Amino acid sequence: MAPEVAREKASDMVQAKGFAVSNTSKGGFFTVQTMVRVFAAVSTLAAICVMATSSQTIVLFGFTIKAHYSYSSAMRFLFVTNAIVSVSSVLSPIFLYRLRSSGSSPKSFFYLFLHDMVIMLLAISGCAASTAVGYVSRYGEEKMGWMAICNRVSKFCNHMTTAMVLSYLAFFSYFALAVMSSCKVMYRANDEYQSNERQAGS
């Protein structure tokens, strides 16, 4: 009987240690997730502020021309995507808190992964559209006869470049979040499978 009792105690100690490690890694996961989401929110908010406050007026051939993000459909699209990413980044920690308080099933982590993927794709679509227009604005397109305009409104173009860099930072943040969420889904599913196997074996 003594060896059996000793084995049971050892098993309980291993399970307790595993539970403690699991809780530590779980807390670290949610901490990193929250920090990255805050960083994405700050990046997109900064990009929105730069875009909204940037404008430049020049006189060309006697005509007054004003450059503003709202005059470009691609830049407006970037502005809207940044607003959506920012709001999502601010609200998603609420879901993280509820996820941490609940049982944290693989299904819940899958929803988190799905959310991060959608926001990531939305962010890169805005960045890609604005990058294409920004490239033509700065370098032109000789074959199409499109002239560069950044040599005339350099201040405005520099501000838009800054906004796009900030938007790309938000995209890479959500790319990292999507990778972390997908790994968590696999780990949780594997843990649940092993737990079911142990219960079936006992």
Side-chain angles (χ1 to χ4, degrees):
M1 291 297 292
E4 292 181 0
V5 172
R7 281 196 298 269
E8 289 180 359
K9 289 184 177 179
S11 177
D12 292 340
M13 291 177 63
V14 170
Q15 290 180 1
K17 289 182 179 179
F19 180 75
V21 172
S22 177
N23 279 347
T24 303
S25 62
K26 181 179 176 181
F29 170 81
F30 286 109
T31 300
V32 173
Q33 282 267 328
T34 302
M35 292 176 62
V36 175
R37 292 175 195 280
V38 170
F39 177 76
V42 172
S43 298
T44 48
L45 279 174
I48 290 172
C49 292
V50 170
M51 294 180 69
T53 58
S54 298
S55 64
Q56 186 174 357
T57 303
I58 61 171
V59 178
L60 184 63
F61 303 118
F63 295 97
T64 301
I65 300 175
K66 182 179 181 180
H68 194 261
Y69 86 92
S70 59
Y71 299 159
S72 168
S73 58
M75 293 300 176
R76 289 198 305 270
F77 181 59
L78 178 64
F79 187 90
V80 172
T81 56
N82 277 335
I84 296 174
V85 173
S86 180
V87 172
S88 176
S89 300
V90 171
L91 296 179
S92 57
I94 299 174
F95 177 73
L96 276 177
Y97 176 77
R98 296 185 63 181
L99 186 62
R100 185 175 184 176
S101 301
S102 64
S104 302
S105 65
K107 186 177 180 180
S108 299
F109 281 108
F110 175 75
Y111 289 145
L112 180 64
F113 164 72
L114 192 62
H115 165 270
D116 293 340
M117 280 293 296
V118 171
I119 299 300
M120 182 191 73
L121 293 175
L122 184 63
I124 193 57
S125 63
C127 291
S130 60
T131 300
V133 173
Y135 180 87
V136 174
S137 299
R138 186 171 291 275
Y139 301 106
E141 184 59 61
E142 295 182 1
K143 294 182 180 180
M144 298 295 294
W146 296 340
M147 297 177 59
I149 63 170
C150 283
N151 56 342
R152 301 183 184 278
V153 286
S154 58
K155 179 182 177 182
F156 171 75
C157 287
N158 290 337
H159 285 178
M160 289 300 101
T161 300
T162 301
M164 284 189 287
V165 170
L166 292 169
S167 301
Y168 271 107
L169 289 177
F171 157 71
F172 285 117
S173 298
Y174 267 93
F175 176 78
L177 288 170
V179 171
M180 286 190 290
S181 300
S182 63
C183 292
K184 197 67 175 179
V185 170
M186 291 187 294
Y187 291 151
R188 292 293 298 179
N190 185 49
D191 290 344
E192 191 172 274
Y193 173 77
Q194 290 180 354
S195 177
N196 292 335
E197 286 291 317
R198 286 195 296 267
Q199 291 178 1
S202 61

